[in-house]
Amino acid sequence: MQKISIIIPTRNRKNLLRRAVMNAFIHKEINFEVIISDNNSEDGTWNLLKELKKEYQEVKIIKQETLINLSDHWDTVIKKHSVGEYVLLLSDDDILNDKNYLRDACKILDKNDEVSVVFARYQEVDSNDNIIGEYNTVWPSIVSGKDMLKKYNSGKNLFIPFLTGVFRRSHYIRVGGFKSM
């Protein structure tokens, strides 16, 4: 099984970060790295990340010295700091409640070289963990990931649940990554 980079970008959300990091480490049956990138937070996030690094020595923490836009933040971490063939961008306020999802997504990618991205449905919850929405991808079972990323970068309004997307880093780089516009 290829290595997966679980990337947690954050900015001024230290109150949510510990839960996301703890959740990332529940996935034991996969080869993974966890990278947390602080986008120049002003709320003490960096100090919390240094504490988390003591608890989870294998986590990689990165500090952006200047504020950069979201897509450039993701792009920088994916291209310059991750080493996994597969990538999951895990928002600092998200968790994966299916402990087998990453393993299953990696298996799909391992077995199908033509698959670039694996999505799952997701649920939106409020601060009390009440489900306030459920979302499924509108894509058919298999589409060309390269084509999908190119369409995403075209600015067309596409529903792509990147909150759950595990994608091939090599295909992401080949299509140029996220565009800041």
Side-chain angles (χ1 to χ4, degrees), residues 57-98:
Q57 285 99 24
E58 58 275 355
V59 76
K60 184 188 297 185
I61 58 173
I62 300 160
K63 181 175 179 131
Q64 305 299 328
E65 296 300 329
T66 59
L67 179 63
I68 55 179
N69 70 51
L70 183 64
S71 57
D72 287 344
H73 185 202
W74 292 353
D75 203 56
T76 297
V77 179
I78 292 167
K79 289 180 178 175
K80 294 183 179 177
H81 301 285
S82 69
V83 297
E85 171 52 17
Y86 308 143
V87 174
L88 170 70
L89 288 169
L90 183 65
S91 296
D92 54 12
D93 62 345
D94 292 339
I95 62 168
L96 298 173
N97 57 15
D98 180 349

Coordinates of all heavy atoms in Angstrom, one line a residue, residues 57-98:
Q57 N 5.2 12.5 18.0 CA 6.5 12.9 17.5 C 6.6 12.8 15.9 O 7.3 13.5 15.3 CB 7.6 12.0 18.1 CG 7.9 12.4 19.5 CD 7.2 11.5 20.5 OE1 6.9 10.4 20.2 NE2 7.0 12.0 21.7
E58 N 5.8 11.9 15.4 CA 5.9 11.6 13.9 C 5.2 12.7 13.1 O 5.3 12.8 11.9 CB 5.4 10.3 13.5 CG 3.9 10.0 13.9 CD 3.8 9.5 15.4 OE1 4.7 9.2 16.1 OE2 2.6 9.3 15.8
V59 N 4.4 13.6 13.7 CA 3.7 14.6 13.0 C 4.7 15.7 12.5 O 5.7 16.0 13.2 CB 2.6 15.3 13.8 CG1 3.2 16.2 14.9 CG2 1.6 16.0 13.0
K60 N 4.5 16.2 11.3 CA 5.4 17.2 10.8 C 4.6 18.5 10.9 O 3.4 18.6 10.4 CB 5.7 16.9 9.3 CG 6.6 17.9 8.7 CD 6.8 17.7 7.2 CE 7.4 16.4 6.8 NZ 7.7 16.3 5.3
I61 N 5.2 19.6 11.5 CA 4.5 20.9 11.6 C 5.3 21.9 10.8 O 6.5 21.9 10.7 CB 4.3 21.3 13.1 CG1 5.7 21.4 13.8 CG2 3.4 20.4 13.8 CD1 5.5 22.0 15.2
I62 N 4.5 22.7 10.1 CA 5.0 23.8 9.2 C 4.4 25.1 9.6 O 3.2 25.1 9.8 CB 4.7 23.4 7.8 CG1 5.4 22.1 7.4 CG2 5.2 24.5 6.8 CD1 4.7 21.4 6.2
K63 N 5.2 26.1 9.6 CA 4.6 27.5 9.8 C 4.9 28.3 8.6 O 6.0 28.5 8.2 CB 5.3 28.1 11.1 CG 4.7 29.5 11.4 CD 5.3 30.0 12.7 CE 4.7 31.4 12.9 NZ 4.2 31.6 14.2
Q64 N 3.8 28.9 8.1 CA 3.9 29.9 7.0 C 4.1 31.2 7.6 O 3.4 31.6 8.5 CB 2.5 29.9 6.2 CG 2.1 28.6 5.6 CD 3.1 28.0 4.6 OE1 3.8 28.7 3.9 NE2 3.2 26.6 4.6
E65 N 5.2 31.8 7.3 CA 5.6 33.1 7.9 C 4.8 34.3 7.5 O 4.7 35.3 8.2 CB 7.1 33.4 7.7 CG 8.0 32.3 8.3 CD 7.9 32.2 9.8 OE1 7.6 33.2 10.5 OE2 8.1 31.1 10.3
T66 N 4.1 34.2 6.3 CA 3.2 35.2 5.9 C 1.9 34.5 5.5 O 1.9 33.4 5.1 CB 3.8 36.0 4.7 OG1 4.0 35.1 3.6 CG2 5.1 36.7 5.0
L67 N 0.8 35.3 5.6 CA -0.5 34.7 5.2 C -0.5 34.6 3.7 O -0.2 35.5 2.9 CB -1.6 35.7 5.7 CG -3.0 35.3 5.3 CD1 -3.4 34.0 6.0 CD2 -4.0 36.4 5.8
I68 N -0.9 33.3 3.3 CA -1.1 33.1 1.8 C -2.5 32.6 1.6 O -3.2 32.1 2.5 CB -0.1 32.1 1.3 CG1 -0.1 30.8 2.1 CG2 1.3 32.7 1.3 CD1 0.9 29.7 1.6
N69 N -3.0 32.7 0.4 CA -4.4 32.3 0.1 C -4.5 30.8 0.3 O -3.6 30.1 0.2 CB -4.9 32.9 -1.2 CG -4.3 32.2 -2.4 OD1 -4.2 31.0 -2.5 ND2 -3.8 33.0 -3.3
L70 N -5.8 30.4 0.4 CA -6.0 29.0 0.7 C -5.4 28.0 -0.3 O -4.8 27.0 0.0 CB -7.5 28.7 0.8 CG -8.0 27.4 1.2 CD1 -7.5 27.0 2.6 CD2 -9.5 27.3 1.1
S71 N -5.7 28.2 -1.6 CA -5.2 27.3 -2.6 C -3.7 27.3 -2.7 O -3.1 26.2 -2.9 CB -5.8 27.6 -4.0 OG -5.5 28.9 -4.4
D72 N -3.0 28.4 -2.5 CA -1.6 28.4 -2.5 C -1.0 27.7 -1.2 O 0.0 27.1 -1.3 CB -1.0 29.9 -2.5 CG -1.2 30.5 -3.9 OD1 -1.4 29.8 -4.9 OD2 -1.1 31.7 -4.0
H73 N -1.8 27.9 -0.1 CA -1.4 27.2 1.1 C -1.4 25.7 0.9 O -0.4 25.0 1.2 CB -2.3 27.6 2.2 CG -2.0 27.0 3.6 ND1 -2.9 26.9 4.6 CD2 -0.8 26.6 4.1 CE1 -2.3 26.4 5.7 NE2 -1.0 26.2 5.4
W74 N -2.5 25.2 0.3 CA -2.6 23.7 0.1 C -1.5 23.3 -0.9 O -0.9 22.3 -0.7 CB -4.0 23.4 -0.6 CG -5.2 23.6 0.3 CD1 -5.2 23.8 1.7 CD2 -6.5 23.4 -0.1 NE1 -6.5 23.9 2.1 CE2 -7.3 23.7 1.1 CE3 -7.1 23.2 -1.3 CZ2 -8.7 23.6 1.1 CZ3 -8.5 23.1 -1.3 CH2 -9.3 23.3 -0.1
D75 N -1.4 24.1 -2.0 CA -0.4 23.7 -3.0 C 1.0 23.6 -2.5 O 1.8 22.7 -2.8 CB -0.5 24.8 -4.1 CG 0.0 24.2 -5.5 OD1 -0.5 23.2 -5.9 OD2 0.9 24.9 -6.0
T76 N 1.4 24.6 -1.6 CA 2.7 24.6 -1.1 C 3.0 23.4 -0.2 O 4.0 22.7 -0.4 CB 2.9 25.9 -0.2 OG1 2.8 27.0 -1.0 CG2 4.3 25.9 0.5
V77 N 2.0 23.0 0.6 CA 2.2 21.9 1.5 C 2.3 20.6 0.7 O 3.1 19.7 0.9 CB 1.1 21.8 2.6 CG1 1.4 20.6 3.5 CG2 1.2 23.1 3.4
I78 N 1.4 20.4 -0.3 CA 1.4 19.2 -1.1 C 2.7 19.1 -1.9 O 3.3 18.0 -1.9 CB 0.2 19.2 -2.0 CG1 -1.1 19.1 -1.2 CG2 0.3 18.1 -3.1 CD1 -2.4 19.4 -2.1
K79 N 3.1 20.1 -2.6 CA 4.2 20.0 -3.5 C 5.6 20.0 -2.7 O 6.5 19.4 -3.2 CB 4.2 21.2 -4.5 CG 3.1 21.0 -5.5 CD 3.1 22.1 -6.5 CE 2.0 22.0 -7.6 NZ 2.0 23.1 -8.5
K80 N 5.7 20.8 -1.7 CA 7.0 21.0 -1.0 C 7.2 20.1 0.2 O 8.4 20.0 0.6 CB 7.2 22.5 -0.7 CG 7.3 23.3 -1.9 CD 7.6 24.8 -1.5 CE 7.7 25.6 -2.8 NZ 7.9 27.0 -2.4
H81 N 6.1 19.7 0.9 CA 6.3 19.0 2.2 C 5.8 17.6 2.3 O 6.2 16.9 3.2 CB 5.7 19.9 3.3 CG 6.3 21.3 3.4 ND1 7.5 21.5 3.9 CD2 5.8 22.5 3.0 CE1 7.7 22.8 3.9 NE2 6.7 23.4 3.3
S82 N 4.9 17.2 1.4 CA 4.4 15.8 1.5 C 5.2 14.9 0.7 O 5.9 15.3 -0.3 CB 2.9 15.8 1.0 OG 2.8 16.0 -0.4
V83 N 5.2 13.6 1.1 CA 6.0 12.6 0.3 C 5.1 11.4 -0.1 O 5.5 10.6 -0.9 CB 7.2 12.1 1.1 CG1 8.2 13.2 1.4 CG2 6.7 11.4 2.4
G84 N 3.9 11.4 0.4 CA 3.0 10.3 0.1 C 2.5 10.3 -1.4 O 2.4 11.4 -2.0
E85 N 2.3 9.2 -2.0 CA 1.8 9.1 -3.3 C 0.3 9.6 -3.3 O -0.2 10.1 -4.3 CB 1.9 7.8 -4.0 CG 1.2 7.5 -5.3 CD 1.4 8.6 -6.4 OE1 2.4 9.3 -6.3 OE2 0.6 8.6 -7.3
Y86 N -0.4 9.4 -2.2 CA -1.8 9.8 -2.0 C -1.8 10.9 -1.0 O -1.0 11.0 -0.1 CB -2.6 8.6 -1.6 CG -2.5 7.3 -2.4 CD1 -2.5 6.1 -1.8 CD2 -2.3 7.4 -3.8 CE1 -2.4 5.0 -2.6 CE2 -2.2 6.3 -4.6 CZ -2.3 5.0 -4.0 OH -2.1 3.9 -4.7
V87 N -2.9 11.8 -1.2 CA -3.0 12.9 -0.3 C -4.5 13.0 0.1 O -5.4 12.8 -0.7 CB -2.6 14.2 -1.1 CG1 -2.9 15.5 -0.2 CG2 -1.1 14.2 -1.5
L88 N -4.7 13.4 1.4 CA -6.0 13.8 1.9 C -5.8 15.1 2.6 O -4.9 15.3 3.4 CB -6.5 12.8 3.0 CG -7.7 13.3 3.7 CD1 -9.0 13.3 2.8 CD2 -8.0 12.4 5.0
L89 N -6.5 16.1 2.1 CA -6.6 17.4 2.8 C -7.7 17.3 3.8 O -8.9 17.3 3.5 CB -6.9 18.5 1.8 CG -5.8 18.9 0.8 CD1 -6.3 19.8 -0.3 CD2 -4.6 19.5 1.5
L90 N -7.3 17.3 5.1 CA -8.3 17.2 6.2 C -8.4 18.5 6.8 O -7.4 19.0 7.5 CB -7.8 16.1 7.2 CG -8.7 15.8 8.3 CD1 -10.0 15.2 7.9 CD2 -8.0 14.9 9.3
S91 N -9.5 19.2 6.6 CA -9.7 20.5 7.3 C -9.6 20.4 8.8 O -9.9 19.4 9.4 CB -11.1 21.1 6.9 OG -11.2 21.3 5.5
D92 N -9.1 21.5 9.4 CA -8.9 21.4 10.8 C -10.2 21.3 11.6 O -10.2 20.9 12.8 CB -8.2 22.7 11.3 CG -8.8 24.0 10.9 OD1 -10.0 24.0 10.4 OD2 -8.2 25.1 11.0
D93 N -11.3 21.4 11.0 CA -12.6 21.2 11.7 C -13.3 19.9 11.3 O -14.5 19.7 11.6 CB -13.5 22.4 11.5 CG -13.9 22.7 10.1 OD1 -13.3 22.1 9.2 OD2 -14.9 23.4 9.8
D94 N -12.6 19.1 10.6 CA -13.2 17.8 10.1 C -12.6 16.6 10.8 O -11.5 16.6 11.2 CB -13.0 17.7 8.6 CG -13.7 18.7 7.8 OD1 -14.7 19.3 8.3 OD2 -13.4 19.0 6.6
I95 N -13.4 15.6 10.8 CA -12.9 14.3 11.2 C -13.4 13.2 10.2 O -14.4 13.4 9.6 CB -13.3 13.9 12.7 CG1 -14.8 13.8 12.8 CG2 -12.7 14.9 13.6 CD1 -15.3 13.2 14.1
L96 N -12.8 12.1 10.2 CA -13.3 11.0 9.4 C -13.9 10.0 10.4 O -13.2 9.4 11.2 CB -12.1 10.3 8.7 CG -11.4 11.2 7.6 CD1 -10.2 10.5 7.1 CD2 -12.3 11.5 6.5
N97 N -15.2 9.8 10.3 CA -15.8 8.9 11.2 C -15.8 7.4 10.8 O -16.2 6.5 11.5 CB -17.2 9.3 11.6 CG -18.1 9.4 10.4 OD1 -17.8 9.0 9.3 ND2 -19.3 10.1 10.6
D98 N -15.4 7.1 9.6 CA -15.2 5.8 9.1 C -13.7 5.4 9.2 O -12.9 5.9 8.4 CB -15.7 5.6 7.6 CG -15.6 4.2 7.1 OD1 -14.9 3.4 7.7 OD2 -16.1 4.0 6.0

